[in-house]
Amino acid sequence: SPCSVTTNPPQRHYGITSPISLAPPKDIDYIHTQKLVEAMESFGVFEDEEELNHRLVVLCKLNNLVKEWIFELGESKNLPPSVVENVGGRIFTFGSYRLGVHTKGADIDALCVAPRHVERSDFFQSFFEKLKQQEEIKNLRAVEDAYVPVVKFEFDGIEIDLVFARLPVQTVSDNLDLRDDSRLKSLDIRCIRSLNGCRVTDEILHLVPNKENFQLTLRVIKLWAKRRGIYSNMLGFLGGVSWAMLVARTCQLHPNALASTLVNKFFLIFSKWEWPNPVLLKQPEENNLNLPVWDPRVNPSDRYHVMPIITPAYPQQNSTYNVSTSTRAVVVEELKHGLAITNEILQGKSDWPKLFEQPNFFQKYKHYIVLTASTYTEEHHLEWVGLVESKIRVLVGNLERNEFINIAHVNPQSFPGNQEHCKQSRYVSMWFLGIIFRKLESAESIKIDLTYDIQSFTDAVYRQANNINMLKEGMKIETAYVKRKHLHYFLPAETLQKRKKVWSKSLMFPAEMEAAVAVRTSGPPSDCTIPTVIGHNAVSQLRTRFVQGHHELSGTQITNPKGAAPKRPHSPASKECSKRSKDREKVEKEGLV
């Protein structure tokens, strides 16, 4: 009738709050987004059709291998023929490939789901043997004692990390939905962890209003984070799933926006976020499966998480438990920097390539600690570097709890040793930590002793190596305190050279703008501690002298955030050292470090 009114059905509501804006895109947004895509193409992030098809072929072959193996296993275990015919089994993908944001040459995270007659031991034995027999499969290795046990290999040029889950069902159908919480009933904890990657990835995709806009925005943020040196879950920054959840939350709050707008809103929202308030994509649901979930009201350890981003699938976990006060400060500064750049771009004052400019870490700070891992053989070096790198966040935590240190910022990139370093050990890797010392309140000069901070870190590494029987002759950790002007002893001039564009100045000293000296010396300078091997009975004394009023100490005071551990005196007495080592062992056992 003429009086009737046509109304559009209400838009589906995403997330735990209503959207900030439902505004549709304008013509200029399409132009900005097209320019953004063009800027990203120069970084080789998009695969062509041929490469995408190659991945599909490899995954199809792997899926067929899994089905074949499960069928053969059923026969060898004398299952009835009618059951064997229908046991099924299949491959699921998760991570960046499943999200549709993988880059050229990236690996694929995959999950093998098998029915109840298949044991975990079968996966690591008979399936491992089956993979070994395939001509197309190279570099096959199993990591059975990992937190999430995994088989790694290269299948026709594609790197694959394959985890395993056994479901208590007779048949695994091709249309199995892993998002159903009931799938977790009666499962082994390792299977729950293996399923978690797929469940979280699928839930994220289910919780965004527009997948294409989400995917393009996430590609932008991942590229930006990698270029700015803040993409590393292991070292205490954010990993892929954490960045994905932050982008997904931005999409929920701006469901109709295009990528150019979403990138800007991403920086706006999270540069102003009041941490440690958690980021949630959905309200956690009650569940009677009694698995441990992130909940600071129940778990005291969860109250110390400084940047919680909570996975949306049960059992909900904090994906950023490795983040420390230092790494959070660095990430927040980068978010503010990203906001300033994207504001300029959207105002027509700049272009998208500026967002992806790399900072020069070696111009940012005046003080550095160099961490060196060395071995006699290449094979031992790969193992040793992996272990040392996995513990660097322990060192960052130790340093930032020192009462004289405000920021301890590790550069995620490692560097090879120079000829000088390689004389004693043939294989050398180095990491650099930028340090901001706090401003002293009195004019007295003091000695800052980092002995305990370094020693407890190296103890943790050697203890872990010993526990897993990895420790071999020639495996060494060395540390040195170095001023910026002496970094040329460790790094080539092209790495150190000053760029026009540097990081956000709010964490810099006025003196940080000095150019690095590009002349090599034959040995370390007088005020550079020569790297001291830290073994079980050796200690590295890292001491330096500071005087109030000198430019070395003019820095920004970074205050302790809510929930952060209090600062402690820089060098505890020996009795306290032994007590703290025991405390740390206890904490490590509980998985809190």
Side-chain angles (χ1 to χ4, degrees):
S1 72
C3 296
S4 64
V5 178
T6 304
T7 58
N8 293 321
Q11 189 166 357
R12 182 187 155 186
H13 178 60
Y14 291 85
I16 61 170
T17 62
S18 55
I20 291 172
S21 170
L22 291 170
K26 299 174 183 173
D27 289 347
I28 189 67
D29 298 329
Y30 287 97
I31 294 167
H32 281 310
T33 300
Q34 181 56 39
K35 286 183 176 176
L36 176 54
V37 171
E38 289 166 8
M40 290 179 68
E41 281 172 345
S42 64
F43 292 98
V45 294
F46 301 110
E47 277 191 325
D48 59 31
E49 206 67 34
E50 188 181 344
E51 291 165 318
L52 286 168
N53 288 336
H54 179 53
R55 284 182 186 270
L56 290 173
V57 168
V58 164
L59 284 170
C60 185
K61 287 180 179 176
L62 182 59
N63 198 47
N64 290 337
L65 276 176
V66 164
K67 288 178 182 291
E68 196 178 286
W69 163 65
I70 290 171
F71 178 86
E72 291 164 357
L73 205 60
E75 287 186 319
S76 70
K77 293 188 177 185
N78 298 318
L79 293 184
S82 59
V83 173
V84 171
E85 284 296 327
N86 298 301
V87 286
R90 60 165 292 193
I91 289 290
F92 291 84
T93 60
F94 60 101
S96 63
Y97 179 78
R98 174 74 179 101
L99 287 172
V101 297
H102 63 285
T103 54
K104 282 185 181 181
D107 61 359
I108 296 178
D109 294 307
L111 164 71
C112 168
V113 178
R116 65 189 177 202
H117 74 271
V118 182
E119 300 290 339
R120 180 167 287 273
S121 56
D122 295 324
F123 176 74
F124 283 99
Q125 289 165 19
S126 61
F127 186 63
F128 189 85
E129 285 303 314
K130 191 173 186 69
L131 291 174
K132 199 184 278 186
Q133 291 161 16
Q134 311 303 313
E135 281 185 18
E136 295 170 296
I137 291 180
K138 306 275 188 284
N139 299 329
L140 179 65
R141 60 231 184 258
V143 190
E144 206 168 341
D145 57 352
Y147 182 75
V148 182
V150 62
V151 170
K152 294 170 171 277
F153 53 92
E154 196 177 299
F155 197 139
D156 197 12
I158 305 284
E159 286 277 350
I160 294 177
D161 286 1
L162 186 63
V163 298
F164 172 82
R166 168 184 180 260
L167 297 185
V169 293
Q170 186 172 287
T171 301
V172 172
S173 65
D174 283 346
N175 61 359
L176 175 70
D177 181 10
L178 295 180
R179 287 179 56 232
D180 184 352
D181 287 355
S182 66
R183 297 286 172 210
L184 303 180
K185 282 180 184 171
S186 313
L187 282 198
D188 170 78
I189 187 63
R190 290 167 300 180
C191 290
I192 290 172
R193 288 174 188 156
S194 297
L195 285 170
N196 194 48
C198 282
R199 285 169 50 81
V200 168
T201 306
D202 286 355
E203 202 64 51
I204 290 171
L205 287 172
H206 188 71
L207 289 167
V208 294
N210 182 303
K211 287 187 181 62
E212 290 75 21
N213 290 340
F214 163 74
Q215 288 166 331
L216 181 52
T217 307
L218 181 52
R219 280 185 180 277
V220 175
I221 296 306
K222 283 181 64 156
L223 175 61
W224 164 81
K226 287 173 181 175
R227 299 281 294 173
R228 302 300 292 182
I230 53 172
Y231 190 105
S232 174
N233 177 53
M234 184 190 291
L235 291 176
F237 295 104
L238 274 60
V241 73
S242 300
W243 291 119
M245 287 189 284
L246 293 187
V247 171
R249 186 69 186 116
T250 308
C251 292
Q252 290 179 340
L253 294 169
H254 298 271
N256 299 321
L258 297 184
S260 57
T261 303
L262 288 167
V263 169
N264 179 246
K265 298 301 183 187
F266 169 89
F267 290 124
L268 177 64
I269 292 164
F270 295 110
S271 64
K272 298 181 187 302
W273 194 270
E274 292 185 2
W275 305 106
N277 288 328
V279 175
L280 297 162
L281 293 182
K282 62 183 272 192
Q283 208 62 52
E285 294 158 4
E286 291 298 319
N287 201 305
N288 59 3
L289 295 177
N290 295 321
L291 294 171
V293 299
W294 186 86
D295 189 344
R297 298 167 303 178
V298 176
N299 311 315
S301 60
D302 292 347
R303 295 168 203 164
Y304 292 94
H305 294 178
V306 299
M307 200 176 189
I309 301 170
I310 310 306
T311 56
Y314 180 83
Q316 296 83 8
Q317 303 292 315
N318 175 21
S319 67
T320 56
Y321 59 88
N322 285 346
V323 172
S324 69
T325 53
S326 282
T327 52
R328 185 183 72 177
V330 171
V331 169
V332 170
E333 283 305 309
E334 281 299 340
L335 290 166
K336 289 176 181 174
H337 183 253
L339 177 61
I341 299 293
T342 52
N343 281 343
E344 283 180 16
I345 293 166
L346 297 185
Q347 289 162 13
K349 296 175 184 175
S350 194
D351 297 314
W352 286 109
K354 187 175 180 182
L355 182 64
F356 306 116
E357 284 179 354
Q358 285 186 292
N360 192 332
F361 180 81
F362 301 106
Q363 295 298 325
K364 183 172 170 65
Y365 299 103
K366 191 164 184 68
H367 310 283
Y368 293 86
I369 287 175
V370 187
L371 176 66
T372 305
S374 55
T375 56
Y376 294 151
T377 70
E378 186 176 13
E379 184 188 354
H380 291 166
H381 193 65
L382 289 171
E383 286 183 299
W384 187 231
V385 163
L387 178 61
V388 173
E389 188 172 40
S390 73
K391 294 289 183 183
I392 289 177
R393 59 192 169 82
V394 175
L395 175 58
V396 171
N398 291 349
L399 291 169
E400 69 185 9
R401 283 191 292 274
N402 187 299
E403 63 174 336
F404 293 112
I405 293 176
N406 277 339
I407 292 285
H409 175 189
V410 60
N411 184 354
Q413 184 183 355
S414 64
F415 295 84
N418 57 28
Q419 288 179 342
E420 197 72 31
H421 301 124
C422 294
K423 280 180 183 175
Q424 294 177 323
S425 299
R426 287 185 60 197
Y427 297 93
V428 177
S429 292
M430 299 184 295
W431 294 267
F432 292 81
L433 289 80
I435 304 293
I436 294 182
F437 290 100
R438 78 169 171 82
K439 191 174 180 179
L440 294 177
E441 293 170 5
S442 66
E444 64 179 313
S445 55
I446 60 156
K447 282 184 178 178
I448 296 177
D449 183 358
L450 304 182
T451 303
Y452 169 70
D453 304 316
I454 303 290
Q455 184 66 51
S456 59
F457 158 70
T458 52
D459 283 351
V461 177
Y462 281 114
R463 186 168 59 244
Q464 175 78 2
N466 213 31
N467 288 345
I468 60 176
N469 297 317
M470 183 202 285
L471 206 54
K472 308 287 192 308
E473 187 185 355
M475 288 182 171
K476 295 186 292 191
I477 304 172
E478 303 172 311
T479 53
Y481 159 73
V482 188
K483 288 185 179 179
R484 184 181 62 223
K485 62 187 178 185
H486 294 133
L487 285 171
H488 62 267
Y489 174 61
F490 296 89
L491 293 165
E494 58 270 22
T495 303
L496 297 174
Q497 67 188 21
K498 186 180 168 187
R499 298 199 177 113
K500 286 180 183 176
K501 303 292 181 187
V502 289
W503 284 25
S504 175
K505 293 177 185 176
S506 57
L507 283 183
M508 284 189 188
F509 304 132
E512 296 293 356
M513 308 306 289
E514 295 171 10
V517 182
V519 181
R520 287 187 177 275
T521 57
S522 56
S526 57
D527 66 341
C528 166
T529 309
I530 298 174
T532 309
V533 178
I534 303 178
H536 296 289
N537 302 312
V539 175
S540 168
Q541 296 284 342
L542 293 188
R543 290 195 176 105
T544 188
R545 195 171 183 80
F546 297 98
V547 183
Q548 167 66 15
H550 198 259
H551 67 249
E552 288 166 0
L553 287 176
S554 56
T556 306
Q557 178 80 28
I558 307 294
T559 54
N560 251 16
K562 288 183 283 183
K567 296 276 190 178
R568 57 163 178 73
H570 57 282
S571 196
S574 57
K575 194 179 283 185
E576 191 184 344
C577 274
S578 103
K579 178 179 178 292
R580 283 185 181 279
S581 293
K582 285 176 187 168
D583 289 344
R584 176 160 286 282
E585 280 176 29
K586 183 184 173 191
V587 168
E588 281 175 345
K589 277 180 188 168
E590 291 171 0
L592 303 178
V593 172

PDB file of all heavy atoms in Angstrom, residues 6-26:
ATOM      1  N   THR A   6       9.439   0.610   3.423  1.00  0.00           N
ATOM      2  CA  THR A   6      10.416  -0.470   3.213  1.00  0.00           C
ATOM      3  C   THR A   6      11.618  -0.222   4.122  1.00  0.00           C
ATOM      4  O   THR A   6      12.189   0.867   4.130  1.00  0.00           O
ATOM      5  CB  THR A   6      10.900  -0.492   1.758  1.00  0.00           C
ATOM      6  OG1 THR A   6       9.756  -0.622   0.922  1.00  0.00           O
ATOM      7  CG2 THR A   6      11.848  -1.652   1.515  1.00  0.00           C
ATOM      8  N   THR A   7      11.984  -1.212   4.892  1.00  0.00           N
ATOM      9  CA  THR A   7      13.167  -1.081   5.774  1.00  0.00           C
ATOM     10  C   THR A   7      14.171  -2.166   5.426  1.00  0.00           C
ATOM     11  O   THR A   7      13.797  -3.287   5.080  1.00  0.00           O
ATOM     12  CB  THR A   7      12.773  -1.214   7.262  1.00  0.00           C
ATOM     13  OG1 THR A   7      12.132  -2.479   7.442  1.00  0.00           O
ATOM     14  CG2 THR A   7      11.850  -0.091   7.694  1.00  0.00           C
ATOM     15  N   ASN A   8      15.441  -1.806   5.521  1.00  0.00           N
ATOM     16  CA  ASN A   8      16.498  -2.795   5.301  1.00  0.00           C
ATOM     17  C   ASN A   8      16.646  -3.655   6.546  1.00  0.00           C
ATOM     18  O   ASN A   8      16.496  -3.159   7.674  1.00  0.00           O
ATOM     19  CB  ASN A   8      17.833  -2.104   5.022  1.00  0.00           C
ATOM     20  CG  ASN A   8      17.800  -1.370   3.695  1.00  0.00           C
ATOM     21  OD1 ASN A   8      17.226  -1.863   2.737  1.00  0.00           O
ATOM     22  ND2 ASN A   8      18.411  -0.197   3.657  1.00  0.00           N
ATOM     23  N   PRO A   9      16.933  -4.941   6.379  1.00  0.00           N
ATOM     24  CA  PRO A   9      17.148  -5.784   7.572  1.00  0.00           C
ATOM     25  C   PRO A   9      18.354  -5.262   8.348  1.00  0.00           C
ATOM     26  O   PRO A   9      19.302  -4.742   7.752  1.00  0.00           O
ATOM     27  CB  PRO A   9      17.429  -7.174   6.987  1.00  0.00           C
ATOM     28  CG  PRO A   9      17.842  -6.925   5.567  1.00  0.00           C
ATOM     29  CD  PRO A   9      17.150  -5.679   5.144  1.00  0.00           C
ATOM     30  N   PRO A  10      18.319  -5.355   9.676  1.00  0.00           N
ATOM     31  CA  PRO A  10      19.451  -4.847  10.460  1.00  0.00           C
ATOM     32  C   PRO A  10      20.739  -5.594  10.113  1.00  0.00           C
ATOM     33  O   PRO A  10      20.711  -6.804   9.881  1.00  0.00           O
ATOM     34  CB  PRO A  10      19.042  -5.114  11.915  1.00  0.00           C
ATOM     35  CG  PRO A  10      17.995  -6.186  11.832  1.00  0.00           C
ATOM     36  CD  PRO A  10      17.306  -5.995  10.528  1.00  0.00           C
ATOM     37  N   GLN A  11      21.853  -4.856  10.068  1.00  0.00           N
ATOM     38  CA  GLN A  11      23.143  -5.468   9.749  1.00  0.00           C
ATOM     39  C   GLN A  11      23.585  -6.348  10.916  1.00  0.00           C
ATOM     40  O   GLN A  11      23.368  -5.993  12.074  1.00  0.00           O
ATOM     41  CB  GLN A  11      24.189  -4.375   9.504  1.00  0.00           C
ATOM     42  CG  GLN A  11      25.487  -4.918   8.957  1.00  0.00           C
ATOM     43  CD  GLN A  11      26.358  -3.793   8.399  1.00  0.00           C
ATOM     44  OE1 GLN A  11      25.945  -2.640   8.377  1.00  0.00           O
ATOM     45  NE2 GLN A  11      27.540  -4.135   7.943  1.00  0.00           N
ATOM     46  N   ARG A  12      24.185  -7.500  10.583  1.00  0.00           N
ATOM     47  CA  ARG A  12      24.653  -8.399  11.645  1.00  0.00           C
ATOM     48  C   ARG A  12      25.645  -7.672  12.537  1.00  0.00           C
ATOM     49  O   ARG A  12      26.510  -6.945  12.074  1.00  0.00           O
ATOM     50  CB  ARG A  12      25.322  -9.623  11.022  1.00  0.00           C
ATOM     51  CG  ARG A  12      25.771 -10.614  12.098  1.00  0.00           C
ATOM     52  CD  ARG A  12      26.577 -11.757  11.542  1.00  0.00           C
ATOM     53  NE  ARG A  12      27.442 -12.293  12.591  1.00  0.00           N
ATOM     54  CZ  ARG A  12      28.357 -13.219  12.385  1.00  0.00           C
ATOM     55  NH1 ARG A  12      28.551 -13.692  11.185  1.00  0.00           N
ATOM     56  NH2 ARG A  12      29.099 -13.657  13.385  1.00  0.00           N
ATOM     57  N   HIS A  13      25.503  -7.898  13.830  1.00  0.00           N
ATOM     58  CA  HIS A  13      26.366  -7.215  14.815  1.00  0.00           C
ATOM     59  C   HIS A  13      27.614  -8.063  15.080  1.00  0.00           C
ATOM     60  O   HIS A  13      27.509  -9.239  15.396  1.00  0.00           O
ATOM     61  CB  HIS A  13      25.563  -7.014  16.102  1.00  0.00           C
ATOM     62  CG  HIS A  13      26.343  -6.371  17.194  1.00  0.00           C
ATOM     63  ND1 HIS A  13      26.909  -5.126  17.071  1.00  0.00           N
ATOM     64  CD2 HIS A  13      26.664  -6.809  18.442  1.00  0.00           C
ATOM     65  CE1 HIS A  13      27.532  -4.819  18.199  1.00  0.00           C
ATOM     66  NE2 HIS A  13      27.404  -5.823  19.041  1.00  0.00           N
ATOM     67  N   TYR A  14      28.796  -7.462  14.914  1.00  0.00           N
ATOM     68  CA  TYR A  14      30.057  -8.178  15.137  1.00  0.00           C
ATOM     69  C   TYR A  14      30.753  -7.608  16.364  1.00  0.00           C
ATOM     70  O   TYR A  14      30.769  -6.391  16.563  1.00  0.00           O
ATOM     71  CB  TYR A  14      30.991  -8.016  13.929  1.00  0.00           C
ATOM     72  CG  TYR A  14      30.523  -8.731  12.687  1.00  0.00           C
ATOM     73  CD1 TYR A  14      29.622  -8.124  11.814  1.00  0.00           C
ATOM     74  CD2 TYR A  14      30.973 -10.012  12.387  1.00  0.00           C
ATOM     75  CE1 TYR A  14      29.193  -8.784  10.668  1.00  0.00           C
ATOM     76  CE2 TYR A  14      30.551 -10.673  11.244  1.00  0.00           C
ATOM     77  CZ  TYR A  14      29.657 -10.057  10.387  1.00  0.00           C
ATOM     78  OH  TYR A  14      29.239 -10.717   9.259  1.00  0.00           O
ATOM     79  N   GLY A  15      31.364  -8.482  17.162  1.00  0.00           N
ATOM     80  CA  GLY A  15      32.175  -7.998  18.281  1.00  0.00           C
ATOM     81  C   GLY A  15      31.371  -7.763  19.541  1.00  0.00           C
ATOM     82  O   GLY A  15      30.160  -7.955  19.587  1.00  0.00           O
ATOM     83  N   ILE A  16      32.082  -7.311  20.584  1.00  0.00           N
ATOM     84  CA  ILE A  16      31.461  -7.194  21.914  1.00  0.00           C
ATOM     85  C   ILE A  16      30.840  -5.810  22.151  1.00  0.00           C
ATOM     86  O   ILE A  16      30.232  -5.584  23.187  1.00  0.00           O
ATOM     87  CB  ILE A  16      32.490  -7.515  23.029  1.00  0.00           C
ATOM     88  CG1 ILE A  16      33.658  -6.528  22.987  1.00  0.00           C
ATOM     89  CG2 ILE A  16      32.984  -8.943  22.925  1.00  0.00           C
ATOM     90  CD1 ILE A  16      34.580  -6.636  24.187  1.00  0.00           C
ATOM     91  N   THR A  17      31.030  -4.884  21.198  1.00  0.00           N
ATOM     92  CA  THR A  17      30.390  -3.569  21.291  1.00  0.00           C
ATOM     93  C   THR A  17      29.798  -3.235  19.931  1.00  0.00           C
ATOM     94  O   THR A  17      30.120  -3.867  18.931  1.00  0.00           O
ATOM     95  CB  THR A  17      31.411  -2.461  21.657  1.00  0.00           C
ATOM     96  OG1 THR A  17      32.400  -2.380  20.611  1.00  0.00           O
ATOM     97  CG2 THR A  17      32.104  -2.732  22.975  1.00  0.00           C
ATOM     98  N   SER A  18      28.951  -2.220  19.907  1.00  0.00           N
ATOM     99  CA  SER A  18      28.403  -1.798  18.616  1.00  0.00           C
ATOM    100  C   SER A  18      29.491  -1.084  17.818  1.00  0.00           C
ATOM    101  O   SER A  18      30.476  -0.598  18.393  1.00  0.00           O
ATOM    102  CB  SER A  18      27.204  -0.875  18.836  1.00  0.00           C
ATOM    103  OG  SER A  18      27.584   0.202  19.658  1.00  0.00           O
ATOM    104  N   PRO A  19      29.343  -0.991  16.483  1.00  0.00           N
ATOM    105  CA  PRO A  19      30.371  -0.343  15.658  1.00  0.00           C
ATOM    106  C   PRO A  19      30.550   1.132  15.999  1.00  0.00           C
ATOM    107  O   PRO A  19      29.635   1.783  16.504  1.00  0.00           O
ATOM    108  CB  PRO A  19      29.829  -0.501  14.232  1.00  0.00           C
ATOM    109  CG  PRO A  19      28.834  -1.601  14.299  1.00  0.00           C
ATOM    110  CD  PRO A  19      28.248  -1.547  15.667  1.00  0.00           C
ATOM    111  N   ILE A  20      31.746   1.642  15.719  1.00  0.00           N
ATOM    112  CA  ILE A  20      32.014   3.076  15.880  1.00  0.00           C
ATOM    113  C   ILE A  20      31.380   3.834  14.721  1.00  0.00           C
ATOM    114  O   ILE A  20      30.826   4.914  14.895  1.00  0.00           O
ATOM    115  CB  ILE A  20      33.539   3.338  15.916  1.00  0.00           C
ATOM    116  CG1 ILE A  20      34.138   2.774  17.214  1.00  0.00           C
ATOM    117  CG2 ILE A  20      33.853   4.828  15.787  1.00  0.00           C
ATOM    118  CD1 ILE A  20      35.660   2.814  17.263  1.00  0.00           C
ATOM    119  N   SER A  21      31.473   3.240  13.513  1.00  0.00           N
ATOM    120  CA  SER A  21      30.924   3.901  12.332  1.00  0.00           C
ATOM    121  C   SER A  21      30.431   2.877  11.322  1.00  0.00           C
ATOM    122  O   SER A  21      31.094   1.871  11.079  1.00  0.00           O
ATOM    123  CB  SER A  21      31.995   4.785  11.675  1.00  0.00           C
ATOM    124  OG  SER A  21      31.557   5.245  10.413  1.00  0.00           O
ATOM    125  N   LEU A  22      29.245   3.170  10.740  1.00  0.00           N
ATOM    126  CA  LEU A  22      28.701   2.328   9.672  1.00  0.00           C
ATOM    127  C   LEU A  22      28.831   3.034   8.318  1.00  0.00           C
ATOM    128  O   LEU A  22      28.244   2.601   7.324  1.00  0.00           O
ATOM    129  CB  LEU A  22      27.223   2.020   9.948  1.00  0.00           C
ATOM    130  CG  LEU A  22      26.943   1.100  11.142  1.00  0.00           C
ATOM    131  CD1 LEU A  22      25.461   1.078  11.463  1.00  0.00           C
ATOM    132  CD2 LEU A  22      27.442  -0.306  10.886  1.00  0.00           C
ATOM    133  N   ALA A  23      29.621   4.105   8.277  1.00  0.00           N
ATOM    134  CA  ALA A  23      29.737   4.916   7.064  1.00  0.00           C
ATOM    135  C   ALA A  23      30.237   4.087   5.884  1.00  0.00           C
ATOM    136  O   ALA A  23      31.227   3.358   6.012  1.00  0.00           O
ATOM    137  CB  ALA A  23      30.680   6.088   7.311  1.00  0.00           C
ATOM    138  N   PRO A  24      29.578   4.191   4.740  1.00  0.00           N
ATOM    139  CA  PRO A  24      30.057   3.491   3.542  1.00  0.00           C
ATOM    140  C   PRO A  24      31.272   4.221   2.964  1.00  0.00           C
ATOM    141  O   PRO A  24      31.492   5.400   3.251  1.00  0.00           O
ATOM    142  CB  PRO A  24      28.863   3.576   2.588  1.00  0.00           C
ATOM    143  CG  PRO A  24      28.130   4.815   3.009  1.00  0.00           C
ATOM    144  CD  PRO A  24      28.339   4.955   4.482  1.00  0.00           C
ATOM    145  N   PRO A  25      32.058   3.538   2.137  1.00  0.00           N
ATOM    146  CA  PRO A  25      33.250   4.194   1.565  1.00  0.00           C
ATOM    147  C   PRO A  25      32.881   5.288   0.559  1.00  0.00           C
ATOM    148  O   PRO A  25      31.849   5.208  -0.108  1.00  0.00           O
ATOM    149  CB  PRO A  25      33.994   3.047   0.886  1.00  0.00           C
ATOM    150  CG  PRO A  25      32.985   1.958   0.702  1.00  0.00           C
ATOM    151  CD  PRO A  25      31.964   2.125   1.764  1.00  0.00           C
ATOM    152  N   LYS A  26      33.750   6.290   0.470  1.00  0.00           N
ATOM    153  CA  LYS A  26      33.582   7.364  -0.520  1.00  0.00           C
ATOM    154  C   LYS A  26      34.511   7.080  -1.704  1.00  0.00           C
ATOM    155  O   LYS A  26      35.391   6.217  -1.627  1.00  0.00           O
ATOM    156  CB  LYS A  26      33.949   8.709   0.114  1.00  0.00           C
ATOM    157  CG  LYS A  26      33.066   9.073   1.297  1.00  0.00           C
ATOM    158  CD  LYS A  26      33.564  10.349   1.968  1.00  0.00           C
ATOM    159  CE  LYS A  26      32.716  10.669   3.205  1.00  0.00           C
ATOM    160  NZ  LYS A  26      33.255  11.800   3.963  1.00  0.00           N
TER     161      LYS A  26
END
